[in-house]
Amino acid sequence: MFYKCNFCDPSVKRGEKPIKTVNTEVDDFIKDDKGKYYHTNCFRMHLRSRKKMKDEEAIENLITERKKVQVDEIKEIRSRARFYEWIMEYYETDLPPYYCIKIDAIRKGKHEFLREQIDYDTLLDIYLHMASYLNKVAVQKQFNKVTSRMNYDLAVVIGNLGDYKRFKAKQSAQEADNITIEGKLKDSEVVRAALNRKESSESEFNITDIMDELLL
């Protein structure tokens, strides 16, 4: 998308087409804490000339900080898009406003039954693990409206957060054990290969000695 650079793009009169030269797809850009866009070098000049910053290290630190915020924001946007895309496909419906409000509350840790923030990737992972179970429950419940089912399923997902955390902790521990075992196996293979090379070398040496003695 194109945005106006708040430093180098000129202001235009009302009714005129605004000039937007920051291409977020290809340009190196900065989005400041007020939501204004700059080419990264323009942002440097903005800090020097308008904000009167003279410490170059402080300028670069601020740019690095803003870049990190941007990366986090982009990750959040993509995770949110993946989550809602899956939800719409799974339930074969558009997104009810009330559902999005509840998800937003869960994401920010402001849901009435949760005191912690849950990111979109975690929510999606819980849904993926519980999809088959939720389908079975839906057959039993015979919901009249898909929105009713979405509300019920969300409550089930939230209620199983603790079990999900324990499952992921166990999974991580198992993966760590597997890595340790694989490392030990590789070490054993290295030792075994070294011993084989040594045995082979000794064998070749002995055979050469015998052949030398036969030739004398």
Side-chain angles (χ1 to χ4, degrees):
M1 295 184 65
F2 284 87
Y3 294 91
K4 175 186 175 181
C5 176
N6 200 50
F7 186 83
C8 72
D9 286 342
S11 299
V12 297
K13 296 179 181 179
R14 182 176 297 179
E16 293 181 348
K17 185 176 180 180
I19 298 174
K20 301 178 179 181
T21 62
V22 177
N23 184 348
T24 57
E25 296 295 325
V26 297
D27 290 341
D28 186 12
F29 71 95
I30 292 287
K31 179 183 176 184
D32 70 9
D33 55 356
K34 296 181 180 179
K36 295 180 179 179
Y37 288 79
Y38 302 80
H39 300 100
T40 299
N41 200 45
C42 288
F43 188 64
R44 286 190 180 92
M45 291 187 285
H46 162 74
L47 295 176
R48 291 167 184 156
S49 61
R50 295 176 180 172
K51 298 297 183 181
K52 308 301 181 183
M53 290 182 65
K54 297 181 179 181
D55 188 333
E56 290 298 319
E57 184 177 354
I59 289 174
E60 294 306 315
N61 287 341
L62 181 56
I63 289 174
T64 300
E65 179 184 329
R66 292 310 308 170
K67 289 282 189 181
K68 183 180 183 304
V69 171
Q70 283 176 210
V71 170
D72 292 341
E73 287 178 348
I74 291 172
K75 181 181 178 181
E76 177 81 359
I77 290 170
R78 290 175 177 172
S79 296
R80 185 177 186 275
R82 280 196 303 269
F83 173 77
Y84 281 125
E85 182 179 353
W86 186 89
I87 290 295
M88 287 189 289
E89 183 177 346
Y90 180 68
Y91 291 105
E92 298 181 347
T93 186
D94 293 331
L95 295 170
Y98 84 91
Y99 181 83
C100 296
I101 292 172
K102 287 188 175 183
I103 293 296
D104 186 60
I106 292 171
R107 178 67 192 92
K108 295 178 180 178
K110 296 181 179 180
H111 190 275
E112 57 182 330
F113 298 126
L114 288 174
R115 295 183 179 179
E116 61 181 299
Q117 296 180 355
I118 305 177
D119 59 65
Y120 290 106
D121 289 340
T122 297
L123 276 174
L124 177 56
D125 198 36
I126 298 175
Y127 267 104
L128 288 170
H129 279 92
M130 299 191 68
S132 297
Y133 170 77
L134 295 175
N135 283 335
K136 292 177 182 178
V137 172
V139 172
Q140 297 173 355
K141 294 285 184 180
Q142 293 293 310
F143 295 102
N144 294 324
K145 297 179 181 179
V146 67
T147 52
S148 298
R149 181 190 169 183
M150 291 175 73
N151 191 43
Y152 180 87
D153 287 357
L154 182 57
V156 173
V157 166
I158 292 173
N160 281 272
L161 178 62
D163 289 336
Y164 171 80
K165 287 182 176 180
R166 286 186 286 274
F167 162 74
K168 295 300 288 186
K170 184 177 180 181
Q171 188 179 57
S172 296
Q174 183 62 53
E175 289 174 355
D177 288 342
N178 290 340
I179 292 173
T180 301
I181 292 171
E182 289 176 4
K184 290 180 178 179
L185 288 174
K186 288 181 180 178
D187 291 342
S188 297
E189 290 173 1
V190 170
V191 172
R192 193 180 301 113
L195 290 173
N196 289 338
R197 285 196 299 270
K198 182 179 180 182
E199 291 174 359
S200 176
S201 176
E202 290 175 350
S203 176
E204 290 174 0
F205 178 80
N206 292 335
I207 292 174
T208 302
D209 285 348
I210 293 172
M211 290 179 66
D212 287 343
E213 288 179 4
L214 291 173
L215 289 173
L216 292 176

